[in-house]
Amino acid sequence: MGRPNYKVGDVIVLKSGLTRTAKANKRCRISSILPNDHGHVQYRVQFDAENFERRITEADIDTGESPSRASPEAAAKSDGAEPWLKFSSIKIGK
C-alpha cells in the first residue's frame, strides 16, 4: 500500500465515476509520483484532451483495465529514491 506500483509515463485507466461523464475517456498518463499521504500512494495524472493535471490515489486506478505496471524491481528502487523536496538546495537571502 505504501509503495508505488506504477511509474512515470505509464498509461492507466481510472475507475468509473472519477471523470465528469460516463462516456469520457478514462485513460490518462502518470506525470509524477507524489509523496505518500498517510500510507496512500498518490499520482499526478493528465488526460490527453486536458491541459491540467489531476491528483489521484492508487485506489482510484482500475487495476484490471490498466495495462502497464512497473516491475517489482522498479518499485523497490523507488523506495530508496531521494525526496522530491531537497531542503539543502533552498537558499535564503540574509
Side-chain angles (χ1 to χ4, degrees):
M1 184 188 241
R3 216 186 286 194
N5 289 325
Y6 297 94
K7 58 185 177 181
V8 174
D10 284 349
V11 175
I12 58 169
V13 178
L14 296 181
K15 291 181 179 177
S16 297
L18 292 174
T19 55
R20 291 187 179 195
T21 62
K23 295 182 180 180
N25 185 11
K26 297 176 188 155
R27 290 186 176 273
C28 56
R29 184 172 305 279
I30 295 178
S31 57
S32 65
I33 300 172
L34 300 172
N36 288 355
D37 180 32
H38 302 291
H40 299 285
V41 178
Q42 299 182 92
Y43 300 97
R44 188 163 298 279
V45 298
Q46 184 172 9
F47 290 92
D48 290 333
E50 295 178 344
N51 61 356
F52 59 91
E53 296 177 342
R54 299 172 185 238
R55 183 192 60 86
I56 63 165
T57 62
E58 191 151 20
D60 299 330
I61 300 172
D62 189 350
T63 56
E65 294 290 323
S66 298
S68 58
R69 293 196 119 205
S71 64
E73 296 85 23
K77 184 188 236 183
S78 67
D79 278 350
E82 295 183 21
W84 63 276
L85 178 62
K86 297 179 184 177
F87 293 105
S88 62
S89 65
I90 298 174
K91 296 181 182 177
I92 301 172
K94 292 183 180 181

